[in-house]
């Protein structure tokens, strides 16, 4: 049986984000929380693998109490076990502290059974860092392949996988043994069809909650704000300053504006 | 002496241009710290590029040459870079925010237990504290955040390509080459490359001199054929806003902006693009911006050097016609 761990994050939907212009901070009221879109891809892939092979899927997230909703939604994608890491001491974590906390929790879960496949999103759309997946892999001492766009082959008998990884110049076809951590690109997996049964199950689901006191023990100084080497010194909204001239085609002729563009190109040797 | 390290990203002995851009900004940071710029080079038999790295401003090069490093793989590259950083303790360590660079940086920062600021677009030294100020867009470019890493070293950042200019090349300059060795084994790499499928047609947006870009205002896929003709005539590339990409009018590799590419062409021609902050984040460093939009209030006009309020299609057609006419009278 294939044993899969998926790590997801609940994020504000940045497409309708509003910023308080005086403080430069996020206005959170009324901003819906969603599962990070790349993590939805990871969940979809896990579900697809579950339908194809026999698999057990564990989903983990670290976040405030409402992150529970993201885990319940994961049950719709066939999650068998859901775990919420929730404690004020975890709060304010940067990527180093986040990867520490997640890796310790995963290590604890692996006392029962080892995972073959770890699925992370390519990046989270709030911070856009793409650092947590590689961070966790390095803490667990397992290989990682980032920007995966396709699973070409998964062989549960010989315990290995062949994937496509997107780079700037093309696609690398890579082979790796289990255990392996993958970070998922958008095109990796389509959304699955979710049966009604899963939706009903999701409504009743309750995550297991881990906090800073247990069931595992953490090094206090590596958690949350305290365990985060990076600090935000300042936030601000980028300013715009008008720098150029504007012409309206109601006032000037098309020939005029075209010749202005031609001048710009000519001055720069582009014609 | 405090060292500012730049990771030299190379594939098959070809240096990624972002490494030169970083050597440039590293010179400014090093001079503010009265330190020096050093380069970290990992690879297999890539001696040929050493002079290039000196020419763009490295005073020292730490070179780790090993067969296991013949192509990029996470485990051996992270191990090599981490061990050398532990040995020499740089003050600052800059890596390009490319797919390979981001993959590497996340691993190295974890081994060094230090902070890593992602996708940085501004760098400076705080004159009071001597700390590195790393500024980056967050929440899809809606806010800028300045991040510091006060108590851990090195201060690490991945830096977006095309934010900083390539410094002047000084071919006469030679620095000190330090050959390093770190124990690496093929088995511990774990991941093996079976094949490489090159991109069919490489879209070289980031380094294009002219970009002809379209947004939602273009209205359809057909609109992009007109822009494609214009781009071809100007030997440029096609760019697009996210909405145009999401409407499937054009491929993702053409997207400019926060989640797309950062570009710095000599001329950026924006047709029917509102200039949402996420789009501007990727193109505001262009040398000259021409914008055509029917809405005089569109934010793109606040950064355009030449703005035209009117129908994009009329302007694009007239421009194409004029360029062709000019060409035919020339030749
Ligand atoms: C996390 C995040 C990341 C993002 N990343 C990116 C990114 O990488 N790149 C990006 O571009 N966006 C990005 N966006 C999306 C961004 O917020 C906008 O949705 C997008 O840029 C708008 O695209 P647009 O300008 O084409 O469309 P619109 O904003 O709808 O603008 C269309 C414009 O065309 C004008 N117009 C209409 N008809 C005509 C005509 N006939 N002639 C001339 N003008 C006309 C209209 O007046 C309007 O100004 C991101 C958003 C988020 C949340
Ligand atoms: N708080 C978190 N809890 C669980 N997984 C996370 C968390 N933060 C990040 N991740 C995972 O790491 C990936 C990359 O996030 P980031 O490095 O923040 O861009 C996400 O797509 C998730 O899979």
């Amino acid at each position: 049986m294939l044993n899969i761990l998926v790590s997801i994050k609940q994020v504000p939907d940045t497409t309708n984000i509003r910023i308080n212009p005086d403080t430069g901070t996020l206005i959170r009221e009324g901003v819906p929380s969603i599962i990070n879109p790349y993590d939805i891809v990871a969940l979809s892939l896990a579900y697809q693998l579950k339908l194809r092979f026999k698999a057990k899927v564990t989903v983990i997230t670290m976040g405030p109490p409402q992150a529970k909703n993201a885990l319940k939604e994961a049950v719709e994608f066939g999650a068998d076990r859901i775990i919420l890491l929730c404690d004020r001491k975890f709060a304010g974590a940067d990527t180093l502290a986040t990867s520490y906390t997640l890796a310790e929790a995963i290590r604890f879960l692996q006392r029962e059974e080892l995972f073959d496949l770890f699925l992370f999103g390519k990046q989270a759309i709030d911070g856009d860092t793409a650092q947590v997946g590689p961070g966790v892999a390095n803490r667990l001492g397992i290989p990682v392949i980032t920007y995966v766009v396709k699973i070409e082959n998964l062989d549960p008998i010989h315990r290995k996988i062949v994937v496509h990884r997107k780079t700037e110049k093309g696609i690398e076809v890579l082979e790796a043994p289990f255990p392996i951590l993958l970070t998922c690109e958008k095109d990796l997996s389509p959304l699955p069809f979710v049966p009604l049964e899963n939706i009903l199950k999701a409504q009743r689901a309750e995550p297991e909650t881990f906090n800073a006191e247990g069931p595992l023990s953490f090094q206090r100084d590596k958690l949350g704000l305290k365990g985060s080497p990076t600090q935000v010194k300042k936030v601000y909204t980028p300013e715009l300053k008008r720098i150029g001239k504007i012409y309206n085609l109601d006032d000037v002729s098309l020939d005029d504006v075209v010749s202005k563009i031609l001048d710009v190109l000519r001055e720069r040797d582009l014609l | 002496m405090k060292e500012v390290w730049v990771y030299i990203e190379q594939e098959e002995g070809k240096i990624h241009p972002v490494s030169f851009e970083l050597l440039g900004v590293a010179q400014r940071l090093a001079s503010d710290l009265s330190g020096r710029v050093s380069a970290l080079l990992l690879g297999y038999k890539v001696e040929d590029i050493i002079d290039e790295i000196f020419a763009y401003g490295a005073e020292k090069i730490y070179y780790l040459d090993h067969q296991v490093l013949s192509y990029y793989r996470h485990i051996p590259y992270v191990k090599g870079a981490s061990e050398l950083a532990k040995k020499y303790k740089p003050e600052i360590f800059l890596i390009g925010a490319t797919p390979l660079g981001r993959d590497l940086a996340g691993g190295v920062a974890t081994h060094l237990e230090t902070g890593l600021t992602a996708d940085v677009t501004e760098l400076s030294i705080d004159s009071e504290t001597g700390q590195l100020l790393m500024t980056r867009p967050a929440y899809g470019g809606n806010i800028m955040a300045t991040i510091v890493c006060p108590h851990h070293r090195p201060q690490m950042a991945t830096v977006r390509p095309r934010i900083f200019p390539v410094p002047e090349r000084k071919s006469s300059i030679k620095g000190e080459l330090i050959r390093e060795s770190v124990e690496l084994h093929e088995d511990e790499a774990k991941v093996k490359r079976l094949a490489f499928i090159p991109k069919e047609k490489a879209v070289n947006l980031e380094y294009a001199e002219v970009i002809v870009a379209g947004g939602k205002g273009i209205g359809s896929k057909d609109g992009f054929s007109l822009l494609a003709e214009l781009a071809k005539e100007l030997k440029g590339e096609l760019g697009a806003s996210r909405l145009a990409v999401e409407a499937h009018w054009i491929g993702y590799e053409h997207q400019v902006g926060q989640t797309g590419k950062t570009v710095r062409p000599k001329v950026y021609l924006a047709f029917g693009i509102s200039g949402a902050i996420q789009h501007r984040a990727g193109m505001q460093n262009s040398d000259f911006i021409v914008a055509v939009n029917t809405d005089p209030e569109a934010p793109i006009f606040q950064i355009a050097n030449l703005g035209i309020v009117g129908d994009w299609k009329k302007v694009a057609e007239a421009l194409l016609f004029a360029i062709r006419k000019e060409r035919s009278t020339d030749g």
Side-chain angles (χ1 to χ4, degrees):
Chain A
M1 193 176 74
L2 207 54
N3 200 11
I4 304 174
L5 180 115
V6 186
S7 188
I8 67 171
K9 186 180 188 189
Q10 195 181 48
V11 293
D13 187 350
T14 48
T15 41
N16 358 315
I17 245 175
R18 284 169 310 135
I19 303 293
N20 179 337
D22 300 325
T23 60
T25 52
L26 204 66
I27 302 172
R28 286 189 181 269
E29 293 83 60
V31 177
S33 287
I34 55 171
I35 297 179
N36 178 37
Y38 297 103
D39 302 349
I40 293 276
V41 177
L43 289 170
S44 304
L45 175 65
Y47 192 40
Q48 195 189 318
L49 293 173
K50 195 173 158 156
L51 296 178
R52 233 171 81 208
F53 308 95
K54 243 171 90 83
K56 179 180 171 194
V57 177
T58 304
V59 179
I60 190 169
T61 193
M62 176 176 92
Q66 70 263 27
K68 170 176 138 175
N69 297 326
L71 290 172
K72 290 176 79 124
E73 197 179 331
V75 173
E76 297 182 11
F77 291 84
D80 299 290
R81 185 176 182 191
I82 49 178
I83 291 153
L84 174 65
L85 304 177
C86 187
D87 195 305
R88 294 194 89 119
K89 295 197 184 67
F90 298 152
D94 71 359
T95 57
L96 193 75
T98 302
S99 69
Y100 168 76
T101 315
L102 290 172
E104 286 304 302
I106 292 168
R107 233 180 237 139
F108 175 79
L109 295 172
Q110 295 212 87
R111 287 189 206 165
E112 279 173 40
E113 52 190 340
L114 297 175
F115 295 107
D116 304 305
L117 203 57
F118 298 81
L119 302 178
F120 281 64
K122 167 180 97 161
Q123 61 193 45
I125 61 164
D126 51 355
D128 288 325
T129 80
Q131 287 165 196
V132 171
V136 170
N138 278 274
R139 290 185 183 276
L140 297 175
I142 56 171
V144 51
I145 302 178
T146 49
Y147 306 101
V148 174
V149 287
K150 188 178 162 189
I151 310 285
E152 179 159 304
N153 186 28
L154 188 150
D155 181 344
I157 313 275
H158 299 98
R159 301 178 45 75
K160 62 183 186 186
I161 192 164
V162 177
V163 303
H164 287 196
R165 172 179 198 265
K166 192 160 132 191
T167 73
E168 282 185 340
K169 300 209 175 90
I171 301 287
E172 285 185 306
V173 183
L174 300 169
E175 184 185 71
F178 292 161
I180 177 88
L181 190 148
L182 308 178
T183 79
C184 304
E185 266 281 5
K186 222 187 220 155
D187 306 327
L188 179 53
S189 176
L191 276 178
F193 167 76
V194 174
L196 182 65
E197 180 198 332
N198 290 20
I199 297 173
L200 295 176
K201 209 170 140 203
Q203 283 169 359
R204 292 190 307 269
E206 279 300 319
E208 296 165 52
T209 304
F210 292 6
N211 61 31
E213 313 306 324
L216 66 149
S217 55
F218 293 95
Q219 273 175 260
R220 280 297 154 76
D221 59 345
K222 290 194 169 190
L223 294 175
L225 201 57
K226 228 174 160 186
S228 299
T230 57
Q231 295 173 5
V232 178
K233 198 179 161 82
K234 183 171 95 177
V235 284
Y236 59 97
T237 34
E239 268 175 44
L240 291 180
K241 44 181 190 306
R242 181 164 298 217
I243 50 175
K245 254 193 108 77
I246 314 279
Y247 300 91
N248 196 315
L249 280 183
D250 294 341
D251 313 324
V252 295
S253 75
L254 193 56
D255 284 349
D256 274 357
V257 297
V258 166
S259 75
K260 284 189 203 312
I261 301 175
L262 289 179
D263 286 344
V264 168
L265 295 167
R266 219 176 273 125
E267 280 159 22
R268 287 165 182 73
D269 273 338
L270 298 169
L271 269 190
Chain B
M1 189 188 261
K2 285 181 177 167
E3 295 203 334
V4 179
W5 275 25
V6 171
Y7 173 70
I8 304 298
E9 180 174 330
Q10 61 82 24
E11 280 181 284
E12 288 163 1
K14 208 169 169 301
I15 301 177
H16 193 292
V18 72
S19 306
F20 298 131
E21 296 159 18
L22 294 187
L23 286 170
V25 65
Q27 289 172 47
R28 164 164 63 84
L29 300 175
S31 105
D32 287 352
L33 290 170
S34 311
R36 78 172 143 242
V37 177
S38 300
L40 177 65
L41 174 63
L42 273 60
Y44 183 48
K45 295 192 171 152
V46 289
E47 281 79 4
D48 286 358
I49 61 181
I50 285 185
D51 285 346
E52 270 316 273
I53 301 168
F54 285 133
Y56 283 98
E59 292 171 58
K60 262 188 180 182
I61 299 175
Y62 301 100
Y63 176 32
L64 178 59
D65 176 46
H66 199 293
Q67 189 164 8
V68 175
L69 303 174
S70 60
Y71 61 94
Y72 177 83
R73 280 178 295 180
H74 187 86
I75 290 178
Y77 269 75
V78 167
K79 185 175 175 190
S82 305
E83 298 217 344
L84 295 181
K86 276 185 192 155
K87 180 170 171 188
Y88 290 102
K89 304 190 169 40
E91 177 74 4
I92 292 173
F93 191 178
L94 305 178
I95 298 175
T98 59
L100 295 189
R102 285 178 155 221
D103 183 289
L104 175 77
V108 173
T110 307
H111 283 282
L112 302 178
E113 296 263 352
T114 192
L116 172 60
T117 306
D119 221 16
V120 166
T121 56
E122 270 171 64
L123 286 165
S124 63
I125 301 289
D126 185 328
S127 54
E128 270 166 45
T129 60
Q131 288 168 10
L132 181 64
L133 304 175
M134 299 167 276
T135 300
R136 61 173 308 236
Y139 295 105
N142 285 288
I143 56 173
M144 300 297 287
T146 302
I147 314 258
V148 290
C149 178
H151 308 300
H152 295 69
R153 292 294 178 270
Q155 303 164 86
M156 286 185 72
T158 58
V159 182
R160 273 214 144 188
R162 291 310 255 159
I163 296 292
F164 296 103
V166 173
E168 200 189 321
R169 187 178 188 284
K170 301 193 182 103
S171 51
S172 56
I173 295 186
K174 283 241 158 39
E176 186 186 355
L177 175 67
I178 299 164
R179 285 179 180 272
E180 278 295 336
S181 71
V182 169
E183 216 174 297
L184 299 172
H185 300 283
E186 181 56 37
D187 311 345
E188 63 182 7
K190 299 277 198 248
V191 174
K192 252 211 316 263
R193 182 144 97 185
L194 304 180
F196 186 74
I197 311 162
K199 264 190 203 149
E200 283 168 24
K201 180 194 172 285
V203 178
N204 196 6
L205 259 192
E206 276 149 306
Y207 292 89
E209 294 205 320
V210 182
I211 291 174
V212 181
K216 200 181 151 205
I218 296 306
S220 71
K221 205 172 181 153
D222 286 347
F224 272 94
S225 348
L226 173 57
L227 296 186
E229 281 184 65
L230 197 51
K232 197 173 154 212
E233 209 63 58
L234 292 166
K235 298 193 182 59
E237 294 277 359
L238 268 182
S241 77
R242 185 165 106 153
L243 285 190
V245 171
E246 281 176 358
H248 301 291
W249 296 343
I250 188 163
Y252 174 70
E253 62 279 17
H254 293 276
Q255 184 170 317
V256 171
Q258 175 69 13
T259 53
K261 303 218 160 96
T262 302
V263 299
R264 226 191 144 101
K266 289 184 178 163
V267 178
Y268 190 90
L269 295 151
F271 291 99
I273 292 179
S274 65
I277 187 155
Q278 294 84 3
H279 188 78
R280 295 198 309 263
M283 45 68 80
Q284 62 200 8
N285 281 332
S286 305
D287 292 346
F288 199 97
I289 297 166
V290 179
V292 187
N293 195 310
T294 42
D295 174 8
E297 300 303 320
I300 190 88
F301 286 133
Q302 307 203 18
I303 57 163
N305 303 83
L306 171 57
I308 298 157
V309 179
D311 183 35
W312 75 273
K313 202 170 173 190
K314 278 191 194 149
V315 178
E317 278 170 350
L319 184 61
L320 185 64
F321 182 79
I323 292 169
R324 286 188 173 149
K325 193 169 138 206
E326 174 143 333
R327 290 274 156 75
S328 65
T329 46
D330 279 0

